[in-house]
Amino acid sequence: MFNGGVIEEGAGGPGLGECLAGAVRTVWAKHDRATDGWLPLWRHMADSAAVAGLLWDRWLPRNVQALVAGPLPGGMEDARRLAVWCAAGHDVGKATPAFACQVDALADRMRAVGLDMPGPKQVGDDRRMAPHGLAGQLLIQEWLVERFGWPERATVQFAVVAGGHHGVPPGHGQILDLDHHPELLRTPGPSEPVWRRVQTELLDACADVYGVRDRLPHWQRVRLPQPVQVVLTALVVVADWIASNPDLFPYFPEEHPRGDAARVAAAWRGLRLPGPWSPAVPAGTAGEVFATRFDLPPGARVRPVQEEAVRLARSMLAPGLMVIEAPMGEGKTEAALAVAEIFAARSGAGGVFVALPTMATGSAMFPRLLDWLDRLPPDGLDDTTPEGRERSVLLAHSKAALNEPYADLLRAGRHTIAAVDQFGDEDQLRPSDDVRSAPAELVAHQWLRGRKKGLLASFAVGTIDQLLMAGLKSRHLALRHLAFAGKVVVIDEAHAYDAWMNTYLDRVLAWLGAYRVPVVVLSATLPAARRRELAQAYAGGTRDDAEGYAVLAEAGGYPLLTAVAPGTDPEIAVPAASGRRTEVRLERLDDDLDVLADRLEAELAGGGCALVVRNTVDRVLEAAEHLRARFGEKAVTVAHARFLDLDRAGKDARLLELFGPPGEDGTPPQRPQRRHIVVASQVAEQSLDVDFDLLVSDLCPVDLLLQRMGRLHRHRRSDRPARLRAARCLVTGVDWTATPAPLPVSGSRRVYGEYLLLRSLAVLEPHFADTPDAGVVVRLPEDISPLVQRAYGSEPQGPAAWAEAVAEARRAHEAHRARQRHGADVFRLDRVRRAGRPLVGWIDAGVGDADDTRAGRAQVRDGQESLEVLVVRRRADGTLTTVPWLGQGLGGLELPTDAVPSPRAARAVAASGLRLPYHFSYPRVLNRAIEELEEWCVPAWQAKECHWLAGELILALDDGPGGDCQTRLAGFQLRYNPHDGLRVIRDGTERQGDG
């Protein structure tokens, strides 16, 4: 039980070490080759159990505790005992010849007391058949059968926790192989009974000390759901990792003058692991909640969709899935955070994860999350301890350390978990008095860093990949599941994902539903069929009645809120519109650069700002070059995804500075005094709160075109030029004269597919006008949902003459989606199985150690790896510098090749990351590019202390004509400048690029 930060191993009874004597005390668990120190197995088992108890009491969210307690007859008390017992027994497989033979001196000590074993060379490769996790699983199963009469099938669901504690539950074939080699578990001959006695003594002692002996007869009838097995495995992994840290649990002689409790208490104080969030349901009206949680502009009022979201979150039978569909700029993010607070209070979730489409949108969201966290009230944690004051936070993507708010937290939270003085004064380990007086200290906790542990932080913002990888068969998947099981999950821009990604998302939602994880999904343009799929995926583990969800595909109204609670019919709410309204006139524009320039010259004759959105980067660059020749260099800005990280961040900041909303003090943006044109790719579609007077857009799927229209007349302004006071969108990128149907340009067809483009064009037909005064305007937000539902529905759309072309495009579209779903299925996690089905083989045939790697991200996105490089400048003499144009004094810094660069220079290089376009995703080109880049590897930069650059691919650019930097890679010529970004050229011709 927990008592003031100390684990008591029993109800006043002896500890594990006191219950064991003789040969069992020679069995070893840890060995340090540098010092020749070692740790007895019983000691590590006791440490792990103690840590598991502390994690249960001080770190694990209430909803995860309740999940484990659900199937157990003794409820929460049984659940805690089970978790501690699983942690205690997880390494019992080390009490086998296959493990113990590895260190000669320690093996000899065991041989001396009758635990005979062959040497490692005699065992040979057979040792691989008996990893200690699997060995422990089989020993626990055998013990439950022999000592307590359990049916063998009932044992696996409990013992598999030990089997999977190194990241991968065993497969059926592995179990069968080890069954055929019992000598790996016990050496045959006179020592076999000694081995058996030692193994039984360890398991008997764990049962007695951790209070499960009397409970085991009751548990044999329990059918543990797979989600319970997963979180127990993950909890044991965390406990094992902590107990294996020699700084926290140093090797020492068995006797300890102050006892085991002091050892554990000192380690816990040294770890300072922040506890879970524990909010109360916020009181007051929605307006009062929003006023205290968010930095609202003066005079701002809560919007109807926000008010309804709060009401629904409070009134649902139980927290579940909420889908919020509302126009751009309606405050969906704030609504989601308000709902997350209510859901967390009602469910016991201990944190929030916000998933966004890209690293850029994730980085933009992170400061907003921090601001919200700073405004939350105290939540009842014990603020006399460090972990009581702190909330752990994470920015979960590969460029997180370059985000300034997160980097500040990393620097503030940087402390070494030093060796703990177990005999020292406890006061020396207490935090200093100069702590922040905010409701909670936000920390990027040192121990919770890295790919494996990071998501265990209470609050996290990351790319959607991080969530989708919860559906990817990969090593240590249980840790990722535990991370999400204890949080409210917010999924933004749900319309932005293709069939491949949705295949993973649906499976992840099924598991989240099984964990009873509250989920909030946000979208401005969600097709009704997709709404139904999301709801059914989430409820699939608890409800088989698909007919109850038919209403979701038929629901009308916009904005629209959908709520799905376990065991209940879906609930739909249609809040009133906020009153914000824009009418947009649509016009066709021929796909000719002279036509584009002429039209912009006419429209901007009296000044104003236009946004031109193209569907490929090469079309962006082609249009920008032509428009600069007409309007001048300073009148045209380029924005797309092929910029260095720092350059792109600067582009986004500059766009917000020029075209964004008023500042917090009401100061208007510094809009250009004369006409200005921004030519952008799809980066302008989402998460940039910018406002333009005129939009020119390539044809794209209607939901994305509506997103682009959301950048038209977004903010109330009185200074728009007279000609541009009516919002207009000119649609181009189409051969309007083609027969039998208009033909989108090839780049658009490649990116989106012809079928979705033709369907979108068909539903927009009534809205096109040949002159600004004709046609039917597109009304935002009223027309958003009807247009999206018609475009993505099954009813025929468009003129009869288009029917054959549309039918052919549909066949190609459906074949492509089928290929995507099939490809995603290869490594996708299986659905949640029936209760009692053990996790054996859970992630067989998986991708291995994928996590946040190129291969992992590619698997959950589109099946192709994208290549990312760090860009440096190479002078004519071969010396290297950072690229010269970087601001803040980071440009032109020397980069020695015979030593580690300065921390400032190394960070500048890390911030000069560039994701190469699709040309380099094809296997042959990708492999060739990697080979060429690895030839330029700088050995000195691979040193451990050069963490910014070690293991990264470096692309060196030479000075070129006209201020460009250039190089050749895998048969392509690359040209880069900070104004236009990257151009990719092959054989003298530029190729279509990605957005």
Side-chain angles (χ1 to χ4, degrees), residues 551-747:
V551 64
L552 299 183
E554 302 163 0
Y558 187 77
L560 184 70
L561 274 66
T562 304
V564 179
T568 65
D569 289 329
E571 182 178 354
I572 292 172
V574 184
S578 67
R580 297 172 71 253
R581 192 169 186 269
T582 303
E583 293 186 347
V584 181
R585 295 184 180 274
L586 286 187
E587 298 180 44
R588 297 178 179 87
L589 186 69
D590 289 340
D591 189 50
D592 179 275
L593 290 175
D594 286 328
V595 170
L596 172 65
D598 291 344
R599 186 61 182 272
L600 288 174
E601 188 163 31
E603 298 292 349
L604 303 179
C609 302
L611 173 64
V612 179
V613 183
R614 315 292 259 185
N615 290 340
T616 67
V617 173
D618 292 329
R619 280 178 61 81
V620 169
L621 297 175
E622 182 185 36
E625 183 176 3
H626 195 86
L627 294 175
R628 281 175 178 152
R630 177 76 68 93
F631 298 97
E633 292 285 333
K634 294 184 178 180
V636 179
T637 297
V638 167
H640 55 71
R642 279 201 228 155
F643 280 96
L644 304 188
D645 292 330
L646 272 182
D647 289 346
R648 172 148 182 211
K651 289 277 184 183
D652 288 351
R654 183 59 174 163
L655 288 175
L656 288 170
E657 182 182 337
L658 294 176
F659 308 107
E664 294 181 4
D665 58 356
T667 304
Q670 303 174 12
R671 296 180 72 83
Q673 295 299 309
R674 303 188 61 205
R675 61 192 180 189
H676 196 91
I677 303 164
V678 174
V679 188
S681 69
Q682 295 90 332
V683 299
E685 279 177 11
Q686 55 197 15
S687 300
L688 278 179
D689 187 4
V690 288
D691 168 45
F692 289 89
D693 303 313
L694 178 70
L695 173 66
V696 181
S697 173
D698 279 353
L699 177 67
C700 60
V702 70
D703 50 334
L704 304 182
L705 186 61
L706 291 166
Q707 291 277 354
R708 297 176 187 182
M709 289 184 197
R711 276 62 191 155
L712 266 176
H713 292 212
R714 188 180 180 97
H715 306 137
R716 297 186 184 278
R717 290 178 32 233
S718 59
D719 61 342
R720 296 192 197 277
R723 185 178 178 87
L724 302 175
R725 287 176 185 165
R728 279 178 291 148
C729 172
L730 314 181
V731 179
T732 186
V734 180
D735 180 354
W736 302 103
T737 64
T739 57
L743 182 65
V745 295
S746 61

Side-chain angles (χ1 to χ4, degrees), residues 655-851:
L655 288 175
L656 288 170
E657 182 182 337
L658 294 176
F659 308 107
E664 294 181 4
D665 58 356
T667 304
Q670 303 174 12
R671 296 180 72 83
Q673 295 299 309
R674 303 188 61 205
R675 61 192 180 189
H676 196 91
I677 303 164
V678 174
V679 188
S681 69
Q682 295 90 332
V683 299
E685 279 177 11
Q686 55 197 15
S687 300
L688 278 179
D689 187 4
V690 288
D691 168 45
F692 289 89
D693 303 313
L694 178 70
L695 173 66
V696 181
S697 173
D698 279 353
L699 177 67
C700 60
V702 70
D703 50 334
L704 304 182
L705 186 61
L706 291 166
Q707 291 277 354
R708 297 176 187 182
M709 289 184 197
R711 276 62 191 155
L712 266 176
H713 292 212
R714 188 180 180 97
H715 306 137
R716 297 186 184 278
R717 290 178 32 233
S718 59
D719 61 342
R720 296 192 197 277
R723 185 178 178 87
L724 302 175
R725 287 176 185 165
R728 279 178 291 148
C729 172
L730 314 181
V731 179
T732 186
V734 180
D735 180 354
W736 302 103
T737 64
T739 57
L743 182 65
V745 295
S746 61
S748 298
R749 299 199 307 272
R750 182 183 59 79
V751 173
Y752 298 115
E754 188 172 0
Y755 177 67
L756 291 181
L757 296 174
L758 288 178
R759 290 282 300 191
S760 298
L761 195 57
V763 301
L764 291 171
E765 270 293 303
H767 298 276
F768 279 111
D770 295 327
T771 69
D773 299 321
V776 180
V777 296
V778 175
R779 301 165 302 162
L780 304 180
E782 296 97 313
D783 290 336
I784 291 177
S785 184
L787 285 171
V788 171
Q789 307 319 327
R790 287 169 54 205
Y792 285 90
S794 57
E795 295 296 320
Q797 301 290 339
W802 296 11
E804 184 177 346
V806 171
E808 183 177 349
R810 179 174 182 171
R811 286 190 290 270
H813 170 74
E814 291 178 346
H816 175 66
R817 284 172 57 89
R819 287 193 298 270
Q820 284 190 310
R821 286 191 291 265
H822 178 73
D825 269 340
V826 174
F827 296 118
R828 187 174 64 149
L829 186 65
D830 291 337
R831 64 177 60 89
V832 186
R833 302 297 188 181
R834 57 177 172 79
R837 175 79 173 265
L839 289 179
V840 172
W842 189 48
I843 56 174
D844 279 1
V847 297
D849 216 352
D851 282 325

